[in-house]
Amino acid sequence: MSFTLRDATLSDIPAITAIYRESVLNGVASYEMTPPGEAEMASRFSAITGNRYPYIAAISADGVLLGYAYASAFRTRTAYRFLVEDSIYLAPEARGQGVGKALLAELIRRCTALGFRQMVAVIGGAHPASVAVHRAAGFEHGGLMKGTGFKHGRWLDTILMQLPLGEGLTTDPQAGTYPDTLYRS
């Protein structure tokens, strides 16, 4: 499958909303039960990109959005500012085609360049394909939380995976640079 990666834009929100809607209704990656509309997805997009987190779109050769990925705060307390959580969502026809792997690799590259030191994947439903993509990118198992969600008539587990970025925890971050300035008053 031929595709390119680029920054997602507000004009992608209808396609992003459709992909996420399918995931909410049919999948277990998101524990949301009711898919948000375009206005809510645009608000989420603006909140993420407004804090300079990367938000990436995978576009097919014929211009169709195949999937998207973004990094966001794992938690908003100041000490967490060097840790990001990744999120990846794919259209059904893009699954198993290398799109998720490419999106994750680019997200890792961009977050490393921004100065983040750790990336965590919170994998709802312990989805095997998501675990495999993260493992292939170098993520290590960080924990299993059993029965964290109930969706589609069954209990779902959540797997945590983690990847050091850049110098990881081997050095102190440089004060006053992004992401050190996140969540400071």
Side-chain angles (χ1 to χ4, degrees):
M1 173 176 280
S2 177
F3 61 91
T4 58
L5 302 179
R6 63 160 171 77
D7 289 338
T9 66
L10 280 172
S11 65
D12 295 317
I13 292 300
I16 286 170
T17 303
I19 288 171
Y20 189 65
R21 176 181 175 77
E22 190 281 330
S23 181
V24 168
L25 292 176
N26 302 309
V28 294
S30 170
Y31 283 8
E32 283 195 75
M33 303 296 279
T34 303
E38 288 182 22
E40 174 61 22
M41 292 300 284
S43 176
R44 294 178 188 188
F45 175 87
S46 294
I48 290 165
T49 59
N51 278 318
R52 297 177 35 201
Y53 291 107
Y55 205 124
I56 307 162
I59 309 297
S60 71
D62 57 351
V64 175
L65 192 134
L66 299 170
Y68 64 96
Y70 60 87
S72 60
F74 176 70
R75 297 272 196 267
T76 56
R77 292 197 173 119
T78 306
Y80 286 113
R81 68 193 177 279
F82 297 100
L83 170 66
V84 290
E85 179 179 345
D86 75 277
S87 295
I88 304 167
Y89 291 93
L90 303 176
E93 65 273 14
R95 296 175 187 150
Q97 305 295 315
V99 177
K101 181 178 179 180
L103 283 165
L104 181 56
E106 180 64 10
L107 200 59
I108 291 167
R109 186 191 70 74
R110 291 185 187 197
C111 287
T112 301
L114 286 168
F116 290 103
R117 295 299 189 90
Q118 300 287 327
M119 183 176 283
V120 66
V122 180
I123 303 173
H127 195 275
S130 186
V131 170
V133 165
H134 284 86
R135 184 176 294 123
F139 282 71
E140 293 184 1
H141 183 80
L144 170 68
M145 298 186 299
K146 298 187 84 48
T148 53
F150 187 82
K151 188 173 180 182
H152 303 308
R154 62 188 168 114
W155 286 104
L156 302 170
D157 297 340
T158 298
I159 290 181
L160 301 175
M161 298 183 80
Q162 186 174 349
L163 178 72
L165 303 177
E167 296 177 7
L169 51 84
T170 62
T171 63
D172 289 346
Q174 186 176 355
T177 61
Y178 187 84
D180 187 50
T181 55
L182 282 173
Y183 310 113
R184 295 226 170 168
S185 36

